[in-house]
């Protein structure tokens, strides 16, 4: 893994994986990652709930 390409450290000092890393890994871990290329756990845009 290469810092800056596969991951970086945020302001809190935590390691954050990039979109490139996730694509290289090849699957979604379903942990709602910040840079998930599969958008797991993200709200669907343009959709509204109806009663």
């Amino acid at each position: 893994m290469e810092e800056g390409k596969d991951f970086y450290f945020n302001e809190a000092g935590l390691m954050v994986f990039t979109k490139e890393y996730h694509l290289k890994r090849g699957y979604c871990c379903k942990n709602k990652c910040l840079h998930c290329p599969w958008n797991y756990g993200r709200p669907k845009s343009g959709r509204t709930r109806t009663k």
Side-chain angles (χ1 to χ4, degrees), residues 5-48:
K5 181 179 179 186
D6 296 316
F7 68 94
Y8 62 90
F9 292 98
N10 67 11
E11 304 82 34
L14 300 173
M15 182 186 288
V16 180
F17 291 112
T18 63
K19 180 179 177 179
E20 289 77 17
Y21 170 80
H22 291 291
L23 289 171
K24 203 182 308 182
R25 185 175 62 192
Y27 65 92
C28 178
C29 62
K30 298 186 173 29
N31 283 320
K32 300 180 183 178
C33 299
L34 179 63
H35 301 294
C36 179
W38 297 279
N39 294 319
Y40 180 80
R42 305 257 183 225
K44 307 288 188 238
S45 62
R47 293 184 129 190
T48 58

